[in-house]
Every structure is written in structure tokens, then in C-alpha cells.
């Protein structure tokens, strides 16, 4: 029995996606015969503080290092998303020159590059050195470390307190969440704001998006569970904003004490989360049953297509894809290859199932009849890009369908 990492209460495991490799640990040909690191990918619910979390985690140094596979700027949708929001953030919260803005998990600088470095102090924190290096080449200051309280003190000494601390798709990656909350409460200026966005639990459940569950995502946040954590540190969620990115996310605005008035949206979210059953284990048990059903339907469909001699590939060598392929046992007998536009992934093999990863050029020369869309969160961008190819896309969630 594992305990909740937030409050220590017993965790109830509601879903296991089986033994899984590290989702982003793509393999070189020469390593295909060597054993891979495997762990049980399972999600649990804490009935006391309501936080949904991984049951077993992978040490952070194994995930975030000089080989990190995800370069944020690969997506046009996300480029646009961050560009727009950088304007909004500055307009709403920057009051004078020289204020400090920090991004936790700045990756290749996709967000921070939008801020005016001549007017503001701009700082990134990014432990994965390969992506941090790309941000530095863009002229950004980046500390290659994991965010924690010690680092916070160092930053305060060198640069003072922060007006804006931002993080996208990063806070849910950090197992030491108490450290984060404590660090934020130290680092924030009296009128400072901590704004972060992550995949939202309601979307995961309603979309049956079980492939949001993987090693890097330690946490599956709701407004309720975050409130329970933050209040220990005098931090208040004063506003939220639904986002369509990454299959449905929530953006949280957090401040110290009562620095900003609480928007009604926050109060309504507590009500909605309760009404949708996020506070009780039955909802998660039901979700687990639907996930199992979704898997069976996908496998059945793929076997039907193979029986008709259809050629199928996977579209995107994503972390989500690793989860789906390993959980549903989809291998080289079904998918000829995975196409991916990240150059560093091309020529490698997928974790666990060892499906070769090829370039978009290869894909266009060797078009399949069907492509299993392993990045359904970019469905619009991808459909538009491939509209002349004639390839039909298979989407596996909530239940298998051809689009
Ligand atoms: N913000 C970007 C990147 C998200 S990927 C975007 O939304 O596209 C998550 C990033 O968080 C990775 O670059 C990873 O290296 C970084 N990260 C993981 N743990 C971290 C920690 N403890 N502190 C700071 N960054 C972390
Ligand atoms: Zn708990």
C-alpha cells in the first residue's frame, strides 16, 4: 500500500496500465537487445486530500537530463498559445520596468522568448540541459537545475523576488510538490502571481484520456486538490481559465494571502468538481472500466484492418504513444513504423515495442492506409497538415474511431 505524497493518507489504486518502459526512452538500434528499465504504471486516488497521482514514480534524473526528447517548439499550436499568453501576462501583471519573471520548466524557451529582456528580468529554470541549451542560444538566462526551495533562496539573493512565476506542463511533473509550494511562497513578491497550467483531471476522465497517465506526469490536478495543498503555504488560487491545449488543460492563478480578489470561476469549479464526482473513488473505478473497454475496442479495430491487409503506421512517437502501444500490446506486426517530426527521434526505436521511428519524408514516400494518431492533442494541426495525403486517421480515445 502506497501513501499519498501530499497528506500521507492511504492511496487507492484505481488503474494499472501494466509494466511500462520510460515513455520517452527511445532506443538506438544497438541497444535493442539490452533489457529496458520497466515499472508499473498505475494511478491512485487519495480520499483525504483528493489528489490523483502515480502510485510508483521513476527517479527524476532518469527522466529529465541531457537526453530529454521533447522540444516544445516543435508544435506550431503551442508556439501560438504561448505567444498570445505572454502578452496577456505582461499586460495584466507587469507594473513597472525591471520586474522579475521566472519560468519553471522553460524547455527550449518557447514562452520566455516572447518577453522583452531589455525591460524585464527574465529567468528560466530547466534541468534538462539539452533543451535548456536551445533556450540559451536564443539569448535567455537559464539555470540548469530542478526547482526547489534551495534554488529559490539562491534566486532571491541574486535577483530578488518575482512578480510572475510561470510554468506550463511542468508542475504536474514535479514529485516534490510541497517543495514547489514552499519555494513559490518564498519567491513571490507581495503582489506576485504564480500562474501555471497542466492537463485537467475532468478532461482526462471525460475524454477517457488514459494516455495522459505516464511516468513524467506524477499529478493529475483538480482545483480542489490544489487548494488543499496550497492553503498550507498561504497560497490562494484566485482565478482559473480553461485551456484547449494538451487535450484539455486548466490554467491556475495563485497569489499570497489575499493579494488579489477570488474570481467566481474558482468557486464554481469546486462545485463542478464535486458534482462530477471527482471527490469520490467510484468515479475513478468507473473510469478504469471505460479505459479497459477503450483498449479492447482499439485492438479489435486494428486486427480487423490488418485482416483486410491494410497498411497502418503510428503518427507521432509521443509519450502518450508509448503508453498506448505498451498497454494495448500493439507492436511491429500491426504498425510498420512511427512517423515523427522531431529530428532527434528519427532513426530510433519506440520504448518497449521497438517500432522504428521515421521522418515525415519517409512517411510521405511510404504512405499507409491508416495512421494511428498517437498525438490526438494535436489532431487539428495534424489533420490540416496531412489533408492531401489521403491517409485516414485512427483516434483511440474516448473509443476508437476513424476521422
Ligand atoms: N513548458 C514547456 C515544457 C513542458 S515539458 C511546454 O509547455 O511546452 C516539462 C519540462 O519541465 C521539461 O523541459 C523538464 O525538463 C522540466 N522539468 C521537469 N522537472 C522539473 C523541475 N523539478 N524543475 C524545473 N523544470 C522541470
Ligand atoms: Zn492525500
Amino acid at each position: 500500500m502506497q501513501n499519498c505524497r501530499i497528506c500521507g493518507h492511504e492511496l487507492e489504486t484505481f488503474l494499472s496500465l501494466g509494466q511500462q518502459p520510460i515513455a520517452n526512452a527511445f532506443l538506438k538500434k544497438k541497444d535493442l537487445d539490452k533489457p529496458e528499465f520497466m515499472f508499473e504504471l498505475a494511478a491512485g486516488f487519495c480520499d483525504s486530500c483528493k489528489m490523483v497521482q502515480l502510485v510508483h514514480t521513476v527517479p527524476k534524473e532518469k527522466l529529465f537530463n541531457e537526453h530529454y526528447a521533447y522540444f516544445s517548439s516543435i508544435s506550431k499550436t503551442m508556439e501560438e498559445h504561448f505567444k498570445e499568453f505572454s502578452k496577456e501576462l505582461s499586460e495584466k501583471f507587469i507594473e513597472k520596468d525591471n520586474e522579475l519573471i521566472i519560468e519553471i520548466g522553460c524547455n527550449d524557451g518557447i514562452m520566455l522568448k516572447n518577453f522583452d529582456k531589455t525591460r524585464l528580468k527574465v529567468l528560466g529554470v530547466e534541468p534538462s540541459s539539452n533543451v535548456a541549451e536551445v533556450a540559451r542560444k536564443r539569448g535567455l538566462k537559464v539555470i540548469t537545475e530542478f526547482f526547489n526551495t534551495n534554488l529559490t533562496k539562491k534566486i532571491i539573493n541574486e535577483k530578488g523576488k518575482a512578480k510572475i512565476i510561470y510554468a506550463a506542463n511542468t508542475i504536474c511533473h514535479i514529485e516534490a510538490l510541497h517543495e514547489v509550494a514552499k519555494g513559490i511562497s518564498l519567491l513571490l513578491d507581495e503582489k506576485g502571481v504564480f500562474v501555471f497550467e497542466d492537463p485537467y483531471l475532468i478532461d482526462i476522465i471525460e475524454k477517457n484520456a488514459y494516455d495522459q497517465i505516464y511516468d513524467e506526469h506524477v499529478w493529475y490536478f483538480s482545483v480542489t486538490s490544489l487548494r488543499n495543498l496550497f492553503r498550507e503555504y498561504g497560497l490562494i488560487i484566485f482565478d482559473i481559465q480553461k485551456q484547449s491545449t494538451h487535450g484539455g488543460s486548466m490554467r491556475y492563478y495563485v497569489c499570497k494571502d489575499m493579494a488579489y480578489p477570488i474570481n467566481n470561476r474558482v468557486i464554481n469549479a469546486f462545485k463542478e468538481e464535486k458534482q462530477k464526482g471527482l471527490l469520490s473513488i467510484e468515479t475513478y473505478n468507473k473510469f478504469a472500466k471505460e479505459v479497459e473497454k477503450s483498449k479492447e475496442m482499439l485492438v479489435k479495430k486494428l486486427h480487423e484492418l490488418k485482416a483486410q491487409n491494410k497498411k497502418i503506421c503510428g503518427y507521432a512517437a509521443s509519450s502518450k504513444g508509448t503508453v498506448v502501444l505498451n498497454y494495448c500490446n500493439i507492436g511491429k506486426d500491426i504498425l510498420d513504423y512511427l512517423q515523427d517530426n522531431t529530428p532527434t527521434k528519427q532513426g530510433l526505436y519506440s520504448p518497449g515495442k521497438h517500432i522504428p521511428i521515421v521522418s515525415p519524408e519517409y512517411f510521405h514516400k511510404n504512405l499507409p492506409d491508416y495512421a494511428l494518431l498517437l498525438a490526438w492533442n494535436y489532431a487539428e494541426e495534424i489533420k490540416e497538415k496531412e489533408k492531401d495525403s489521403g491517409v485516414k486517421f485512427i483516434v483511440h480515445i474516448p473509443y476508437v474511431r476513424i476521422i
Side-chain angles (χ1 to χ4, degrees), residues 347-372:
L348 301 179
Y349 294 80
S350 74
K353 291 297 168 199
H354 300 182
I355 302 172
I357 300 165
V358 304
S359 64
E361 293 72 37
Y362 182 97
F363 170 75
H364 287 117
K365 281 194 204 123
N366 300 272
L367 285 176
D369 302 298
Y370 291 87
L372 175 59

Side-chain angles (χ1 to χ4, degrees), residues 4 6-9 46 48-51 53:
C4 171
I6 300 297
C7 74
H9 189 268
C46 172
S48 177
C49 75
K50 311 300 175 191
M51 187 66 89
Q53 56 201 279

Side-chain angles (χ1 to χ4, degrees), residues 29-288:
K29 187 163 199 169
K30 70 173 175 53
D31 295 327
L32 289 178
D33 294 332
K34 297 186 188 149
E36 287 169 79
F37 176 92
M38 302 289 272
F39 75 107
E40 193 201 352
L41 182 59
F45 169 68
C46 172
D47 194 30
S48 177
C49 75
K50 311 300 175 191
M51 187 66 89
V52 175
Q53 56 201 279
L54 285 186
V55 179
H56 311 282
T57 56
V58 175
K60 61 185 186 312
E61 293 78 8
K62 264 193 189 307
L63 302 175
F64 311 113
N65 48 44
E66 69 278 20
H67 303 298
Y68 194 58
Y70 182 70
F71 289 75
S72 300
S73 298
I74 210 81
S75 160
K76 294 273 161 301
T77 313
M78 293 312 289
E79 284 268 5
E80 268 312 301
H81 173 77
F82 290 122
K83 194 171 162 195
E84 257 175 50
F85 189 55
S86 65
K87 279 197 213 113
E88 192 181 324
L89 254 185
S90 303
E91 282 165 15
K92 268 196 190 151
F93 298 108
I94 293 295
E95 290 170 310
K96 48 183 193 288
D97 282 2
N98 229 17
E99 287 185 313
L100 173 61
I101 166 158
I102 298 174
E103 185 179 11
I104 306 174
C106 68
N107 199 278
D108 59 13
I110 186 168
M111 172 69 163
L112 283 185
K113 68 170 184 186
N114 296 308
F115 291 94
D116 182 354
K117 293 188 290 293
T118 59
R119 250 195 76 209
L120 299 167
K121 288 189 275 187
V122 179
L123 179 66
V125 178
E126 177 47 69
S128 299
S129 56
N130 60 334
V131 295
E133 197 45 41
V134 178
R136 272 195 210 99
K137 288 210 175 96
R138 288 175 149 157
L140 293 161
K141 280 209 182 76
V142 183
I143 304 178
T144 308
E145 276 182 49
F146 290 94
F147 182 84
N148 58 29
T149 342
N150 263 340
L151 181 66
T152 309
K153 290 176 187 155
K154 223 164 78 184
I155 296 175
I156 296 173
N157 282 339
E158 284 171 23
K159 306 210 176 250
K161 296 208 173 187
K163 188 60 185 289
I164 298 175
I165 304 172
Y166 179 69
N169 310 300
T170 296
I171 301 304
C172 72
H173 291 59
I174 307 182
E175 183 167 2
L177 205 50
H178 279 287
E179 275 276 310
V180 172
K182 189 169 168 205
I184 297 288
S185 70
L186 294 172
L187 190 52
L188 271 190
D189 188 73
E190 286 318 304
K191 280 293 255 180
V193 287
F194 170 42
V195 182
F196 70 103
E197 54 195 77
D198 281 297
Y200 185 41
L201 187 54
I202 288 190
D203 288 291
I204 296 175
I205 303 239
E206 289 187 341
K207 293 179 184 144
N208 223 3
Y210 63 87
D211 54 2
Q212 290 280 19
I213 300 172
Y214 62 90
D215 45 28
E216 291 182 26
H217 292 172
V218 179
W219 310 103
Y220 306 88
F221 294 140
S222 61
V223 187
T224 309
S225 61
L226 284 170
R227 172 195 53 189
N228 294 343
L229 165 73
F230 285 147
R231 64 175 160 206
E232 281 184 53
Y233 298 90
L235 296 170
I236 308 269
I237 302 173
F238 68 91
D239 202 359
I240 52 172
Q241 252 173 17
K242 271 292 299 162
Q243 305 296 317
S244 60
T245 48
H246 289 302
S249 295
M250 185 63 94
R251 177 179 288 155
Y252 307 89
Y253 292 77
V254 177
C255 65
K256 293 219 277 203
D257 304 315
M258 298 302 268
Y260 293 86
I262 298 178
N263 192 291
N264 258 336
R265 279 189 284 269
V266 180
I267 315 298
N268 291 337
F270 295 141
K271 286 188 203 144
E272 185 188 354
E273 289 180 353
K274 181 161 190 229
Q275 182 237 326
K276 290 198 162 156
L278 257 53
L279 312 191
S280 72
I281 184 71
E282 286 76 37
T283 307
Y284 302 98
N285 288 335
K286 182 162 170 283
F287 168 68

